[in-house]
């Protein structure tokens, strides 16, 4: 807004209204001229009258007090242009407070140029306004350059100080020295802080409680810092102070300033300024011997510090009276009591009582300058009560060594127990608890152990040469107590077991030098009562050394082989004397069953040779004979029955009843299987049995009894296909002849039956059937001289 002097009478003039009576002139106001018009340029008096010169147009700020009561609108200033005498000018203002929010706080008369404020101002809402004044002609053309108008709202003390918090919480350690910082309170005043209206000062109004002094704290009037001002803070007496703080503006002038209050809660925090103290100087307790984890005494303490804090939590220590560490003191977390606990069993026979000295302290160290109290130590007397203790074996497990085979009744040792109860008159009795082989006895009074049987190291009850037994020792206390002890007997081996030949059976070829039999021996004893072994053949019977020989391989093995060039196939019992190396040595004559058999080129027994060499004992021969007789009896009975049927057919050839036919009788039932194939029966299979060759040479598998043999069959007299019932004697004689003429003896499954003393003549004597007992009586009656039916 510059107005050039060259412009003729151009520029704004201001007219300020008269101030209300009693009001100070606002700084910056210009004294009114008689015409109430302010000209914005310098004027100089000359002979020719007024003459305008060039200058800068600077408008002083306009000051408006806040909270004015009016009346409104209230004129602030009048602006006018010099050109309003020549043309009609219209005035307007723009900016915040005029045509921008807040709208129409200020207004201007467009004709007269008078500017008004329309309502009361609030500095705390807005402290200044910047407007621009405009002058235009009736056509809207700019007449003057816009002028900047600065309007300032003058502050009034219309706001109280406001505390940030209504309640402040702070703390200070008990025993703090004067001048210790506690906390800070802060109040804000919305008025102008550069004036007294916004300058806040603090003071303490009241303190509760007023102990030990009514002025324990002070506050910095300008910063609001609260500090201690007196000594004597003691949490155990006063735990909390409530301080009312006042904030006043107008620099704390209570007559003109506005005030507000807040509450400061100051907590006195605990320090460990009180040592724990026992409630009594002596404590007592009782504990049975051999018990652990038993509470024997409770120690009570008093501590005035903050409960359940490190300043209050008690820690107990035993400082004397328990060098072996039988006791410990644990702290009850709830009651803070000390629980004297047994952690290592006490022995009444060793200690009948304990005198402990204990000390208590806090988890946190004492505050500086605080000394341990005399009452922080106490004495604890603990008496031990006697209980009946079990006897015990001092040496457990006890090991003794002796030779096996000691005679019955031998005293081995005294396995005695000790009763710990020296102050009780008690007797100890012994008994067996475990004696697996029942080899031992124990004296019930003194524990002497004797053998009840011969101890055998080779017994199944021995493990690693050791026999183990357990015994019981019991006293006669109330209640009785008992203890167990284990006795281990290490048995030293003696040579009491003769060696046994291995193997028991063997196989060898009938010709020597093809293979040999390796033999060894087993001995239940242990070294040195075992090998090396000596193997030899007995001199009696003489055939043994004649047929066999033994060759030594080493101390444990030898070889048995044939001495002669050929030995007939069969099973031979070869006695061999085996002697061990014990002192004295033991020997044993063992028999090895040697199967001598024909061998192939590889030295292995052939199948036929194995059967030939198997040999049959007397029992086996008797069993075979009985089977043959039963088979023959069945055949004879069938032939006799067939003979009867044939005679009936000759008698009643034309009157045969189909119901009497054997085949029809068989088919009539028709139960399992059957069909047309089952109706033809080859009764020739009941004749002479076939040779055994196909059985011996047959590959493994299942074969029906009526299956034709594979391979060549021996030649026998030709029989008709349909058996003709003839003399049973002829049938038997034919079988005997076929067997006798078979050089291999394999013509019959029954082997050679020459021992039946068959006769080559046609006559047969059946009288021997009478000697076979009642089972063959009917057969003897039929063929021992009786007539045919």
């Amino acid at each position: 807004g510059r107005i050039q002097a060259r412009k003729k009478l151009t520029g704004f003039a201001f007219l300020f209204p008269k101030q209300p009576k009693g009001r100070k002139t606002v700084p910056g106001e210009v004294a009114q001229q008689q015409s109430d018009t302010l000209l914005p340029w310098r004027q100089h008096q000359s002979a020719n009258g007024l003459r305008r010169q060039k200058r800068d147009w600077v408008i002083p700020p306009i000051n408006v007090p806040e909270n004015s009561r009016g009346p409104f609108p209230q004129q602030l200033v009048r602006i006018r242009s010099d050109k309003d005498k020549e043309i009609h000018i219209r005035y307007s203002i723009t900016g915040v407070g005029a045509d921008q929010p807040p709208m129409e706080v200020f207004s201007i008369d467009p004709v007269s140029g008078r500017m008004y404020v329309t309502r009361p101002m609030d500095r705390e809402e807005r402290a200044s306004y910047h407007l621009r004044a405009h002058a235009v002609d009736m056509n809207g053309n700019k007449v003057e350059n816009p002028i900047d108008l600065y309007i300032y709202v003058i502050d009034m003390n219309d706001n109280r100080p406001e505390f940030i918090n209504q309640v402040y919480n702070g703390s200070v350690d008990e025993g703090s020295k004067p001048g210790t910082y506690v906390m800070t309170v802060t109040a804000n005043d919305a008025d102008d802080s550069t004036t007294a209206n916004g300058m806040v000062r603090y003071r303490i109004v009241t303190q509760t409680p007023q102990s030990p002094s009514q002025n324990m704290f002070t506050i910095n009037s300008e910063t609001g810092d609260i500090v201690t001002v007196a000594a004597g803070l003691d949490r155990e007496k006063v735990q909390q102070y409530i301080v009312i703080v006042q904030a006043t503006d107008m620099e704390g002038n209570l007559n003109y300033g506005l005030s507000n209050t807040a509450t400061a809660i100051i907590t006195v925090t605990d320090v460990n300024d009180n040592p724990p103290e026992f409630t009594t100087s002596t404590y007592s307790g009782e504990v049975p011997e051999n018990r652990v984890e038993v509470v024997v005494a409770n120690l009570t303490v008093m501590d005035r510090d903050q409960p359940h804090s490190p300043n209050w939590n008690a820690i107990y220590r035993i400082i004397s009276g328990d060098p072996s560490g039988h006791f410990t003191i644990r702290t009850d977390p709830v009651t803070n009591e000390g629980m004297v606990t047994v952690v290592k069993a006490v022995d009444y026979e060793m200690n009948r009582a304990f005198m402990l000295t204990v000390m208590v302290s806090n988890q946190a160290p004492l505050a500086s300058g605080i000394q341990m109290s005399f009452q922080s130590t106490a004495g604890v007397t603990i008496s031990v009560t006697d209980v009946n203790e079990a006897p015990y074996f001092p040496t457990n497990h006890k090991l003794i060594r002796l030779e096996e085979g000691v005679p019955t009744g031998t005293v081995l040792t005294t396995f005695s127990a000790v009763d710990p109860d020296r102050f009780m008159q008690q007797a100890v009795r012994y008994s067996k608890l475990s004696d697996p082989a029942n080899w031992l006895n124990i004296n019930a009074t003194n524990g002497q152990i004797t053998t009840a049987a011969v101890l055998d190291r080779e017994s199944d009850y021995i493990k690693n040469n050791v026999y183990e037994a357990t015994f019981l020792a019991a006293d006669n206390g109330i209640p009785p107590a008992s203890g167990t002890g284990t006795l281990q007997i290490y048995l030293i081996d003696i040579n009491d077991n003769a060696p046994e030949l291995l193997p028991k059976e063997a196989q060898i070829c009938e010709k020597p030098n093809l293979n040999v039999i390796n033999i060894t021996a087993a001995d239940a004893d242990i070294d040195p009562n075992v090998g090396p072994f000596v193997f030899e053949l007995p001199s009696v019977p003489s055939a043994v050394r004649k047929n066999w020989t033994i060759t030594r391989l080493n101390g444990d093995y030898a070889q048995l082989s044939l001495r002669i060039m050929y030995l007939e196939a069969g099973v031979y019992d070869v006695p061999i004397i085996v002697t061990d190396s014990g002192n004295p040595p033991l020997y044993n004559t063992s028999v090895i069953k040697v199967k001598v058999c024909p061998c192939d080129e590889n030295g292995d027994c052939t199948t036929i040779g194995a059967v030939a060499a198997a040999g049959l004992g007397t029992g086996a021969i008797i069993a075979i004979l009985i089977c043959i007789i039963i088979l023959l009896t069945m055949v004879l009975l069938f032939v006799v029955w067939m003979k009867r049927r044939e005679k009936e057919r000759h008698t009643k050839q034309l009157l045969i009843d189909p119901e009497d036919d054997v085949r029809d009788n068989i088919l009539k039932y028709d139960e399992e299987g059957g069909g047309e194939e089952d109706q033809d029966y080859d009764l020739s299979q009941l004749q002479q049995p076939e040779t055994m060759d196909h059985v011996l040479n047959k590959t493994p598998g299942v074969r029906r009894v009526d299956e034709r043999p594979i391979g060549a069959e021996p030649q026998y007299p030709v029989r008709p296909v349909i058996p003709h019932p003839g003399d049973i004697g002829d049938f038997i004689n034919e079988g005997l002849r076929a067997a006798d003429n078979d050089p291999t003896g394999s013509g019959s499954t029954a082997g050679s039956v020459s021992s039946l003393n068959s006769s080559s003549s046609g006559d047969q004597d059946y009288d021997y059937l009478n000697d076979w007992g009642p089972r063959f009586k009917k057969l003897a009656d039929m063929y021992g001289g009786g007539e045919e039916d």
Side-chain angles (χ1 to χ4, degrees):
R2 290 182 176 181
I3 302 297
Q4 299 294 332
R6 289 190 297 270
K7 294 184 178 179
K8 183 179 179 182
L9 296 175
T10 60
F12 282 123
F14 287 85
L15 178 65
F16 290 92
K18 293 181 180 180
Q19 297 297 321
K21 188 176 182 179
R23 290 284 303 272
K24 287 196 305 182
T25 301
V26 177
E29 291 185 357
V30 181
Q32 297 186 25
Q33 298 179 0
Q34 292 180 354
S35 63
D36 293 334
T37 301
L38 289 177
L39 299 178
W41 59 83
R42 295 189 179 97
Q43 298 183 12
H44 296 270
Q45 193 72 28
S46 67
N48 297 328
L50 295 176
R51 186 169 60 88
R52 208 169 63 106
Q53 296 189 5
K54 180 180 178 181
R55 68 181 293 271
D56 288 337
W57 190 21
V58 178
I59 304 300
I62 304 170
N63 294 314
V64 181
E66 66 172 335
N67 303 323
S68 173
R69 296 183 180 181
F72 297 100
Q74 182 178 2
Q75 182 178 334
L76 297 179
V77 70
R78 178 185 177 190
I79 60 174
R80 58 180 289 270
S81 172
D82 289 347
K83 296 182 179 181
D84 63 352
K85 295 178 181 179
E86 303 173 1
I87 58 174
H88 293 288
I89 294 179
R90 293 291 181 265
Y91 301 98
S92 63
I93 55 174
T94 59
V96 174
D99 62 344
Q100 297 177 28
M103 306 284 285
E104 298 179 351
V105 176
F106 302 98
S107 64
I108 191 170
D109 187 324
V111 176
S112 65
R114 288 183 175 87
M115 189 172 74
Y116 302 92
V117 59
T118 62
R119 56 178 181 254
M121 308 293 288
D122 185 359
R123 191 199 68 85
E124 287 70 44
E125 181 180 339
R126 190 175 184 88
S128 66
Y129 297 86
H130 177 201
L131 303 177
R132 307 197 84 178
H134 306 272
V136 297
D137 61 14
M138 298 301 291
N139 295 322
N141 298 317
K142 182 174 69 172
V143 175
E144 301 284 359
N145 289 328
I147 304 169
D148 289 313
L149 301 176
Y150 292 94
I151 303 171
Y152 293 104
V153 182
I154 301 172
D155 182 45
M156 298 294 176
N157 190 19
D158 59 344
N159 287 279
R160 292 179 179 275
E162 296 289 342
F163 282 98
I164 296 176
N165 301 312
Q166 195 57 41
V167 177
Y168 290 85
N169 289 290
S171 63
V172 62
D173 287 343
E174 63 175 327
S176 295
K177 297 177 181 180
T180 303
Y181 171 81
V182 179
M183 62 195 300
T184 299
V185 296
T186 303
N188 295 323
D189 195 314
D191 292 325
D192 190 354
S193 60
T194 63
T195 67
N197 297 337
M199 293 181 180
V200 179
R201 299 294 182 264
Y202 304 93
R203 74 186 187 96
I204 292 176
V205 181
T206 61
Q207 166 197 308
T208 306
Q210 298 183 357
S211 172
S213 168
Q214 62 181 358
N215 295 318
M216 295 297 296
F217 306 96
T218 187
I219 189 168
N220 186 305
S221 62
E222 294 186 10
T223 63
D225 293 344
I226 299 176
V227 296
T228 60
V229 72
L233 287 173
D234 189 352
R235 189 206 67 85
E236 286 72 52
K237 293 180 179 178
V238 179
Q239 298 183 4
Q240 192 178 75
Y241 290 91
I242 298 177
V243 176
I244 305 299
V245 179
Q246 185 182 53
T248 306
D249 58 16
M250 299 301 289
E251 297 183 274
N253 190 318
L254 297 177
N255 294 324
Y256 305 106
L258 302 177
S259 300
N260 231 330
T261 60
T263 301
I265 299 175
I266 301 174
T267 301
V268 182
T269 55
D270 184 46
V271 298
N272 193 14
D273 57 347
N274 291 279
E277 297 177 341
F278 286 107
T279 57
T280 182
S281 60
T282 58
Y283 298 86
S284 62
E286 186 178 82
V287 58
E289 64 175 333
N290 303 322
R291 293 281 299 278
V292 293
E293 296 301 325
V294 178
V295 177
V296 297
N298 283 60
L299 312 180
T300 54
V301 294
M302 181 187 66
D303 195 322
R304 295 195 300 270
D305 290 320
Q306 177 72 44
H308 304 291
S309 72
N311 300 329
W312 179 83
N313 295 337
I315 296 176
Y316 299 87
R317 289 186 300 118
I318 299 173
I319 58 178
S320 67
D322 184 25
S324 301
H326 290 284
F327 304 94
T328 189
I329 305 179
R330 297 166 182 160
T331 303
D332 188 315
V334 177
T335 64
N336 216 26
E337 293 181 355
M339 300 178 292
V340 183
T341 308
V342 182
V343 293
K344 181 180 176 182
V346 296
D347 187 356
Y348 176 81
E349 286 71 31
M350 298 292 292
N351 298 95
R352 298 190 183 186
F354 291 87
M355 298 292 294
L356 308 180
T357 302
V358 297
M359 174 181 286
V360 63
S361 59
N362 288 128
Q363 187 175 341
L366 287 173
S368 60
I370 306 298
Q371 301 297 322
M372 184 67 72
S373 171
F374 174 75
Q375 293 175 298
S376 294
T377 59
V380 182
T381 303
I382 300 173
S383 58
V384 183
T385 57
D386 193 14
V387 298
N388 185 26
E389 299 174 85
Y392 68 94
F393 292 88
T395 305
N396 195 13
H397 301 27
K398 184 175 183 178
L399 177 66
I400 62 172
R401 298 169 64 92
L402 73 152
E403 286 189 346
E404 64 173 328
V406 295
T408 302
T410 301
V411 176
L412 300 183
T413 185
T414 299
F415 197 30
S416 58
V418 176
D419 193 342
D421 299 309
R422 291 178 294 161
F423 303 102
M424 296 182 184
Q425 299 300 322
Q426 295 177 340
V428 178
R429 305 284 292 178
Y430 301 93
S431 59
K432 283 198 301 184
L433 195 61
S434 170
D435 182 13
N438 204 24
W439 282 347
L440 306 174
N441 287 327
I442 187 168
N443 187 299
T445 304
N446 59 18
Q448 188 180 72
I449 295 176
T450 56
T451 59
V454 176
L455 277 60
D456 183 9
R457 192 202 66 83
E458 289 73 40
S459 167
D460 292 336
Y461 296 103
I462 300 295
K463 299 293 184 290
N464 298 324
N465 302 325
V466 175
Y467 179 73
E468 192 168 278
T470 56
F471 299 92
L472 188 73
D475 61 22
N476 57 352
I478 300 175
S482 60
T484 61
T486 300
L487 178 68
Q488 293 178 324
I489 304 174
Y490 185 94
L491 293 176
I492 302 170
D493 184 44
I494 63 173
N495 194 21
D496 57 346
N497 288 276
E500 291 286 339
L501 185 69
L502 292 177
K504 300 295 184 184
E505 296 181 356
Q507 183 173 286
I508 196 171
C509 295
E510 59 189 3
K511 294 182 180 180
N513 300 327
L514 290 177
N515 54 13
V516 294
I517 300 171
N518 288 329
I519 58 175
T520 184
D523 197 320
D525 295 319
I526 61 174
D527 190 68
N529 296 320
V530 287
F533 299 104
V534 176
F535 302 91
E536 55 184 339
L537 296 172
S539 56
V540 179
S542 58
V544 175
R545 292 193 173 184
K546 176 183 176 183
N547 295 338
W548 304 90
T549 182
I550 287 183
T551 305
R552 176 187 173 89
L553 291 180
N554 54 35
D556 293 325
Y557 289 91
Q559 288 183 341
L560 176 67
S561 57
L562 282 173
R563 179 187 293 272
I564 58 177
M565 294 305 295
Y566 174 80
L567 187 63
E568 185 178 355
V571 177
Y572 295 85
D573 289 342
V574 180
I576 298 176
I577 302 173
V578 186
T579 307
D580 61 23
S581 296
N583 185 18
L586 293 181
Y587 67 90
N588 184 30
T589 301
S590 298
V591 175
I592 179 172
K593 284 187 175 295
V594 180
K595 184 187 295 182
V596 178
C597 59
C599 295
D600 56 19
E601 63 276 3
N602 296 324
D604 298 325
C605 269
T606 60
T607 305
I608 298 176
V611 175
L616 295 175
T618 306
I621 294 174
I622 294 174
I624 292 174
L625 288 176
I626 292 174
C627 290
I628 292 174
I629 293 171
I630 292 173
L631 181 61
L632 291 176
T633 304
M634 292 175 64
V635 171
L636 290 173
L637 291 175
F638 184 76
V639 170
V640 170
W641 181 78
M642 287 297 295
K643 227 174 131 180
R644 286 181 179 175
R645 294 294 300 165
E646 187 67 22
K647 283 186 177 182
E648 290 176 1
R649 279 189 187 150
H650 285 298
T651 306
K652 306 176 184 177
Q653 242 179 357
L654 297 177
L655 299 174
I656 293 178
D657 188 355
E659 294 294 328
D660 293 334
D661 188 25
V662 175
R663 298 187 202 178
D664 287 345
N665 287 341
I666 293 174
L667 289 173
K668 187 167 184 68
Y669 293 96
D670 194 19
E671 290 179 352
E672 292 287 341
E676 294 303 325
E677 302 89 358
D678 298 332
Q679 298 182 19
D680 296 327
Y681 301 97
D682 184 6
L683 298 182
S684 66
Q685 297 299 319
L686 295 176
Q687 302 303 321
Q688 174 66 25
E690 302 295 345
T691 177
M692 274 189 69
D693 288 344
H694 71 286
V695 178
L696 295 177
N697 297 322
K698 176 174 167 55
T699 57
V702 179
R703 175 173 290 171
R704 288 166 35 197
V705 296
D706 61 344
E707 182 178 347
R708 299 297 293 174
I710 301 172
E713 298 183 12
Q715 298 298 318
Y716 300 103
V718 179
R719 301 187 183 90
V721 175
I722 300 174
H724 187 276
D727 187 2
I728 192 63
D730 296 338
F731 171 77
I732 293 175
N733 289 333
E734 286 180 8
L736 290 175
R737 280 196 302 274
D740 290 340
N741 293 330
D742 185 1
T744 64
S746 59
S748 171
T749 56
S752 175
V753 291
S754 301
S755 59
L756 296 178
N757 295 323
S758 61
S759 173
S760 60
S761 65
D763 297 328
Q764 181 67 36
D765 185 7
Y766 297 106
D767 291 339
Y768 60 85
L769 293 175
N770 293 315
D771 299 331
W772 284 9
R775 293 174 182 259
F776 298 94
K777 184 175 185 305
K778 184 172 182 62
L779 196 62
D781 293 340
M782 293 172 60
Y783 296 100
E787 295 295 332
E788 288 184 356
D789 290 342

